[in-house]
Amino acid sequence: VFDNVALPLVIEGLAYRDIRKRVRAALDKVGLLAREKSWPLTLSGGEQQRVGIARAIVAMPPVLLADEPTGNLDPDLSRGLFELFRDINGQGVTVLVASHDLALIRTMGQRVLVLSDGRLIDDIPGSELGGGRRG
């Protein structure tokens, strides 16, 4: 798991001490720090999905695209993940999430673009949704 999450940083050429610190922080954010030495095949589907999210956020990319990131997660982990996305957004990363979980999306209080058959059919400001804190 550690090596899987570290890959983008290794490619970037970071020093091992920096890689170790950032990977452990990313795994902690997705609740998998205790599994850092596990083989990916020993993880549940939801844990594997969270490893992928940790790998995506470890390098703090300018844009993070997440397609159905909560598909294999329980409701509590899903809320926690969306809170993590909001925190990452607050650090300057643009986060775009594609999801069918409208109830969860509404609680975030963020802008929502609605697509149907590949076409944009609505653009709802976060202020119209209520829910979570604005950011």
Side-chain angles (χ1 to χ4, degrees):
V1 168
F2 181 95
D3 292 344
N4 190 298
V5 175
L7 184 60
L9 303 178
V10 170
I11 292 170
E12 197 174 309
L14 264 62
Y16 180 75
R17 70 181 176 280
D18 295 328
I19 291 173
R20 180 171 160 67
K21 180 179 175 184
R22 289 175 64 175
V23 168
R24 295 191 90 232
L27 287 172
D28 190 41
K29 286 179 182 177
V30 297
L32 291 176
L33 184 55
R35 303 297 306 263
E36 71 179 320
K37 294 181 181 179
S38 299
W39 290 99
L41 289 176
T42 67
L43 304 177
S44 70
E47 288 172 328
Q48 289 178 9
Q49 193 159 350
R50 288 186 284 151
V51 168
I53 292 163
R55 186 179 52 249
I57 67 172
V58 73
M60 292 302 288
V63 177
L64 176 64
L65 302 174
D67 185 10
E68 292 291 350
T70 61
N72 294 319
L73 304 179
D74 66 45
D76 289 336
L77 286 174
S78 295
R79 275 189 300 280
L81 180 60
F82 270 75
E83 289 171 10
L84 173 61
F85 287 156
R86 185 172 32 211
D87 292 345
I88 291 168
N89 178 248
Q91 296 173 23
V93 175
T94 298
V95 180
L96 181 62
V97 178
S99 179
H100 288 91
D101 191 344
L102 296 178
L104 181 58
I105 295 292
R106 289 182 185 280
T107 68
M108 300 311 295
Q110 299 292 323
R111 179 180 179 194
V112 174
L113 301 175
V114 181
L115 303 176
S116 179
D117 295 321
R119 305 189 93 169
L120 179 65
I121 62 169
D122 206 353
D123 183 349
I124 308 165
S127 59
E128 291 183 17
L129 296 174
R133 70 175 199 253
R134 298 283 300 146

